[in-house]
Amino acid sequence: MLSRCNTILFVGILGSAALGTAPATASAQPLDIAAKSCGFEFTWSTPMVTSPQITALGFAQCDAPPDEHTLTLALEYDNHGRWENAAYRTDRSIPPGPPNYTSYETSAACYAGKWRMSVSILGNLRGTPFAFSDHSQPREVPSSQCPSR
């Protein structure tokens, strides 16, 4: 079962919340947030190495479908202290409700170094925009698994 990340509603400003912590919500009007939430999880806690590739995989489902849902799953690598995209996939489909889900995957050529997965979700629920972003724990890939850059 997916852990749930309540839809984050905006009142004039954008925000984000960390998955796995208490949900954050803001609303100009009372809504039944629990019935209007989507959940996302990374399949693994770090990217998976299947040399010569590195892969990010996640899945999402929504209790109630939002009007819009744009999810971008990315693989990022540490370039001298700055996270940069190596690959990403954007999907605009609406995730189904439980017990079904939508899977997301992206892969890149694997190189030694520090990698992580990231997700960004933008959408609209009953006329109210929402956003969510998160990233996995970093994974140090040794040169014994993938070549150096």
Side-chain angles (χ1 to χ4, degrees), residues 18-91:
L19 186 64
T21 62
T25 60
S27 178
Q29 59 190 7
L31 292 174
D32 181 9
I33 298 297
K36 296 173 176 52
S37 62
C38 292
F40 176 84
E41 283 190 19
F42 295 111
T43 303
W44 310 289
S45 59
T46 62
M48 184 175 80
V49 174
T50 54
S51 194
Q53 291 189 334
I54 187 163
T55 302
L57 186 63
F59 55 99
Q61 61 185 203
C62 294
D63 290 332
D67 303 320
E68 297 174 32
H69 188 273
T70 303
L71 185 145
T72 301
L73 178 65
L75 273 166
E76 300 175 332
Y77 65 95
D78 183 351
N79 184 11
H80 305 291
R82 183 176 170 175
W83 290 104
E84 297 194 21
N85 278 343
Y88 68 91
R89 176 181 175 224
T90 299
D91 188 304

Side-chain angles (χ1 to χ4, degrees), residues 60-139:
Q61 61 185 203
C62 294
D63 290 332
D67 303 320
E68 297 174 32
H69 188 273
T70 303
L71 185 145
T72 301
L73 178 65
L75 273 166
E76 300 175 332
Y77 65 95
D78 183 351
N79 184 11
H80 305 291
R82 183 176 170 175
W83 290 104
E84 297 194 21
N85 278 343
Y88 68 91
R89 176 181 175 224
T90 299
D91 188 304
R92 289 179 172 77
S93 64
I94 307 294
N100 300 313
Y101 56 88
T102 301
S103 293
Y104 307 92
E105 181 176 346
T106 190
S107 296
C110 186
Y111 294 100
K114 193 181 292 187
W115 291 83
R116 72 179 185 182
M117 302 176 285
S118 70
V119 65
S120 173
I121 302 170
L122 299 174
N124 189 304
L125 178 66
R126 297 173 63 196
T128 304
F130 64 86
F132 172 79
S133 62
D134 195 17
H135 56 82
S136 71
Q137 294 297 316
R139 175 179 184 163

